[in-house]
């Protein structure tokens, strides 16, 4: 097999962004970051981020005059404006609201959003009724600068705002509005901008959460979002490759990169994420080495996630939280990937050590443990399986009897049988039940969130609810430490669906707790379902 694509079709030209590709392939993310820091000056300029994201005011500049830049982008901003100047806040409309839990979903919520221009005194108003937003919390501004590349893109400044809400009541619905000086969400004319969220209940109750990976900015991504919103999930898990601002995904400085994609993505996702906590982790397309040595400075600027991982500053996509009777663990598979090694080993084993400790703690506290990350432990599609994930983490999943593992990376839906010792521990056909304490672990690839779809090996048919095509084995491969594709013939590929889809998981507590796992196509049709019961 030839090496699979990372998001750019084979043979496509890649813009020269400062490091020759041959050199970039030999450099770590940190080395690439330092190379570009010395090469590019930080030419501050406003760009058309908001205009692209829906007609918001913004401006841009390059090595020419500000007037010329504004004329080329259609920006109404005057040539004398600079990022340090403030415009009248009444003409700056917030967008891209997205929620995330703090470490304790019962009492903590994080509200994030974006503005196209610098504003004064940003804040969040919160209350128990939409017309009584009495509590006012100051917001933090994180200004993210992307240097320009001659002939490719202009320099760009983006403004992300974050407010931490602590001391909330469990199981309570709150209403909120985001604003700044000149833009008050509590005013009558701004009432339509008010959103809401509900904290986790004090005691375990039945609830639903959803999950997928590899979303991007497409009509299919939006269709999945709308279907997810209709399910009213308690939260959503995004298993990496969030918006594809880095469309190449090699983790190299020669990757093609467009920061304005984030503006479009956050506006697209706002329909759901302003109400449903949107819990993300990191994929290979989310390593953006313009911003920090390991490429996660952009993620830190755009998201506020639980800070209880091994190092929240170094790796914001590694964390955990408990909701009801389910413990959720988010991991950064770039740290252990054999396939795409740009960030391999950056944590010096600290992430894996933290994982071992955290899984042990959760096993004593909850009924079920769900782990999600990007690269696949077990898949037969284009990227196949990552041996680095298997070597580093699968033994820990087995040791602590993890109940469900969710991955992205491959743009399909694929679900395994229960895997034990690398082989089928128990066949789990559609509609069946499995017990992780005896059978092994089911691994789900849910990468059909919206980006262009992949395929399964030649001759391997889809097999899903209503169209079952069971087969004894599938010829595939896994990535080795030497970045080679080692052929495999596997028997664990139970369900395969080449279509846009997502995962819906219903958790039940009580004397006979269970996870009811379903996969839904963007049409709403169910294509797979099974149950996880412990000690059944």
């Amino acid at each position: 097999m030839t090496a699979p694509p990372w998001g750019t079709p084979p043979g496509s030209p890649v813009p020269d962004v400062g490091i020759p590709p041959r050199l970039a392939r030999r450099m770590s993310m940190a080395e690439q970051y330092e190379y570009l820091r010395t090469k590019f000056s930080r030419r501050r300029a406003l760009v058309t981020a908001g205009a692209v994201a829906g007609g918001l005011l913004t401006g841009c500049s390059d090595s020419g005059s500000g007037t010329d830049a504004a004329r080329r982008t259609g920006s109404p901003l005057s040539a004398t404006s600079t990022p340090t100047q403030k415009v009248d806040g009444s003409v700056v409309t917030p967008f891209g609201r997205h929620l995330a839990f703090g470490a304790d979903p019962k009492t903590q919520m994080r509200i994030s959003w974006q503005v196209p221009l610098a504003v004064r005194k940003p804040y969040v108003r919160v209350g128990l009724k939409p017309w009584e937003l009495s509590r006012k919390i100051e917001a933090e501004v994180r200004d993210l600068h992307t240097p320009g590349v001659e002939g490719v893109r202009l320099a760009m400044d983006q403004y992300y705002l974050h407010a931490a809400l602590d001391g909330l009541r469990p199981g309570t619905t709150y209403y909120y509005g985001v604003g700044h000086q000149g833009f008050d969400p509590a005013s009558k004319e701004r009432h339509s901008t008010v959103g809401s969220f509900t904290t986790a209940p004090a005691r375990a109750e039945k609830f639903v959460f959803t999950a997928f990976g590899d979303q991007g900015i497409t009509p299919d991504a939006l269709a999945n979002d709308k279907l997810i919103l209709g399910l009213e999930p308690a939260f959503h898990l995004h298993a990496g490759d969030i918006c594809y601002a880095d469309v190449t995904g090699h983790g190299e400085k020669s990757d093609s990169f467009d920061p304005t994609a984030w503006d479009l993505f956050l506006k697209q996702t706002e329909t759901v994420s302003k109400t449903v906590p949107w819990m993300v982790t990191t994929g290979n397309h989310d390593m953006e080495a313009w911003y920090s040595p390991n490429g996660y400075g952009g993620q830190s600027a755009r998201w506020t996630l639980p800070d209880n991982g091994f190092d929240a500053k170094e790796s914001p996509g590694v964390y955990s939280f408990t909701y009801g009777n389910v413990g959720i663990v988010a991991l950064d598979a770039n740290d252990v990937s054999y396939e795409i090694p740009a960030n391999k080993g950056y944590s010096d084993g600290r992430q894996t050590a933290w994982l071992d400790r955290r899984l042990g703690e959760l096993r004593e506290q909850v009924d079920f443990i769900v782990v999600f990350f990007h690269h696949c432990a077990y898949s037969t599609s284009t990227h196949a399986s990552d041996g680095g994930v298997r070597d580093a983490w699968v033994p820990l999943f087995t040791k602590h009897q993890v109940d469900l593992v969710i991955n992205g990376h491959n743009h399909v839906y694929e679900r395994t049988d229960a895997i034990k010792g690398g082989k089928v521990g128990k066949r789990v056909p559609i509609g069946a039940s499995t017990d992780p304490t005896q059978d092994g672990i089911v691994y789900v690839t849910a990468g059909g969130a919206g980006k262009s779809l992949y395929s399964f090996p030649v001759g391997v048919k889809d097999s899903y609810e209503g169209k079952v095509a069971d087969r004894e084995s599938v010829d595939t491969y896994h990535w080795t430490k030497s970045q080679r594709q080692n052929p495999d013939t596997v028997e664990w590929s139970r369900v395969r669906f080449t279509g846009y889809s997502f995962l819906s998981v219903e958790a039940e507590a009580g004397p006979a707790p269970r996870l009811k796992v379903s996969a839904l196509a963007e049409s709403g049709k169910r294509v797979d379902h099974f149950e996880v019961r412990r000690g059944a």
Side-chain angles (χ1 to χ4, degrees):
M1 287 186 182
T2 58
W6 285 283
T8 299
S12 297
V14 178
D16 179 9
V17 294
I19 300 181
R22 287 186 179 180
L23 177 59
R25 281 192 289 270
R26 298 197 300 268
M27 299 170 70
S28 69
M29 291 289 284
E31 290 168 337
Q32 296 169 38
Y33 168 74
E34 288 301 325
Y35 182 101
L36 282 180
R37 282 193 62 178
T38 59
K39 181 165 183 176
F40 291 105
S41 62
R42 289 177 57 84
R43 292 177 293 146
R44 291 282 177 170
L46 294 174
V47 294
T48 51
V52 172
L56 300 172
L57 287 178
T58 156
C60 68
S61 68
D62 60 5
S63 57
S65 70
T67 303
D68 289 341
R71 187 180 298 117
R72 284 193 297 273
T73 60
S75 169
L77 201 65
S78 72
T80 58
S81 295
T82 71
T84 57
Q85 292 177 319
K86 307 290 194 302
V87 299
D88 187 330
S90 64
V91 301
V92 181
T93 303
F95 69 99
R97 289 170 293 174
H98 49 287
L99 303 174
F101 292 129
D104 181 7
K106 296 189 295 295
T107 63
Q108 297 177 322
M109 189 67 73
R110 307 304 183 230
I111 301 175
S112 304
W113 69 101
Q114 192 173 351
V115 288
L117 300 171
V119 295
R120 295 183 177 92
K121 300 180 180 179
Y123 60 86
V124 169
R125 286 191 180 276
V126 184
L128 294 175
K129 299 178 181 179
W131 56 87
E132 293 181 3
L133 305 180
S134 56
R135 185 179 174 189
K136 191 173 181 180
I137 297 97
E138 182 180 350
E140 173 194 359
V141 180
R142 301 177 193 166
D143 174 15
L144 188 64
H145 178 73
T146 307
V149 177
E150 185 174 357
V152 178
R153 63 164 183 262
L154 301 174
M156 181 173 187
D157 286 278
Q158 292 165 297
Y159 302 92
Y160 299 97
L161 303 98
H162 305 264
L165 277 61
D166 298 315
L168 302 174
R169 303 175 189 171
T172 302
T173 297
Y174 290 86
Y175 297 87
Y176 73 93
V178 299
H180 49 262
Q181 184 173 303
F183 188 102
D184 188 350
S187 63
K188 186 177 181 180
E189 61 271 22
R190 310 292 190 192
H191 187 69
S192 61
T193 66
V194 174
S196 66
F197 63 82
T198 302
T199 53
R203 296 182 179 179
E205 301 173 358
K206 181 188 294 186
F207 71 93
V208 171
F209 71 89
T210 52
F212 60 40
D214 305 82
Q215 189 175 16
I217 308 159
T218 71
D220 299 291
L222 186 60
N224 268 337
D225 282 355
K226 289 181 178 178
L227 194 58
I228 286 171
L229 184 62
L231 296 178
E232 299 182 349
F235 54 89
H236 177 77
L237 305 180
H238 197 309
D241 281 8
I242 302 169
C243 89
Y244 289 83
D246 179 338
V247 298
T248 314
H250 294 183
E252 298 173 354
K253 285 300 185 181
S254 56
D255 287 4
S256 181
F257 183 66
D258 177 12
T260 63
W262 280 105
D263 306 327
L264 289 166
F265 174 82
L266 290 172
K267 193 165 183 67
Q268 168 190 271
T269 309
E270 185 176 16
T271 55
V272 188
S273 61
K274 68 180 181 181
T275 302
V276 177
W278 206 256
M279 310 302 293
V280 305
T281 190
T282 314
N284 57 292
H285 284 272
D286 305 317
M287 292 186 287
E288 300 168 346
W290 298 97
Y291 305 123
S292 64
N294 66 6
Y296 300 148
Q299 188 179 45
S300 294
R302 300 182 189 102
W303 306 88
T304 295
L305 299 163
D307 58 0
N308 58 1
F310 73 94
D311 189 326
K313 183 177 180 181
E314 183 175 356
S315 191
V318 179
Y319 56 88
S320 69
F321 64 90
T322 298
Y323 193 105
N325 64 333
V326 180
I328 305 290
V329 179
L331 299 174
D332 174 17
N334 292 319
D335 185 25
V336 298
S337 173
Y338 288 163
E339 178 194 6
I340 305 173
N343 258 348
K344 185 178 180 301
Y346 80 91
S347 78
D348 291 326
R350 289 180 296 148
Q351 179 178 197
T352 300
W354 171 84
L355 174 64
D356 192 9
R357 292 193 302 272
R358 189 63 186 129
L359 290 178
E361 293 166 354
L362 287 171
R363 189 75 280 160
E364 300 298 320
Q365 300 169 5
V366 296
D367 292 326
F368 300 106
I369 299 174
V370 176
V371 179
F372 75 108
F373 52 92
H374 188 63
H375 301 65
C376 297
Y378 294 96
S379 179
T380 65
S381 186
T382 304
H383 289 290
S385 308
D386 198 308
V389 170
R390 292 186 184 180
D391 290 348
W393 295 343
V394 167
L396 297 181
F397 300 158
T398 301
K399 172 184 175 181
H400 298 287
Q401 298 179 350
V402 166
D403 298 283
L404 179 65
V405 175
I406 301 171
N407 300 138
H409 203 37
N410 284 304
H411 301 182
V412 294
Y413 176 82
E414 185 172 20
R415 196 257 295 167
T416 72
D417 288 320
I419 296 179
K420 189 174 185 178
K423 299 180 180 180
V424 176
K426 177 187 176 183
R427 286 172 57 96
V428 185
I430 295 167
S433 178
T434 182
D435 178 358
T437 67
Q438 302 176 22
D439 307 330
I441 302 168
V442 172
Y443 292 79
V444 176
T445 299
K451 200 62 175 171
S452 57
L453 295 169
Y454 288 174
S455 61
F456 292 100
V458 175
V460 177
K461 296 181 179 179
D462 281 12
S463 181
Y464 55 91
E465 186 170 0
K467 192 178 179 181
V468 175
D470 275 338
R471 55 184 296 140
E472 291 184 5
S473 63
V474 174
D475 291 330
T476 180
Y477 70 93
H478 69 270
W479 289 95
T480 67
K481 194 172 184 177
S482 58
Q483 281 190 277
R484 296 182 183 276
Q485 300 172 2
N486 191 60
D488 284 332
T489 298
V490 304
E491 299 178 353
W492 39 252
S493 179
R494 184 55 47 205
V495 181
R496 298 174 298 277
F497 176 68
T498 307
Y500 296 106
S501 59
F502 65 93
L503 209 60
S504 173
V505 182
E506 182 178 279
E508 294 184 1
R514 61 179 176 171
L515 295 179
K516 299 171 66 176
V517 185
S518 301
L520 302 178
E522 67 171 320
S523 65
K525 179 182 178 181
R526 191 175 69 184
V527 296
D528 185 25
H529 68 105
F530 67 99
E531 289 190 359
V532 179
R533 295 173 179 263
R534 296 184 63 83

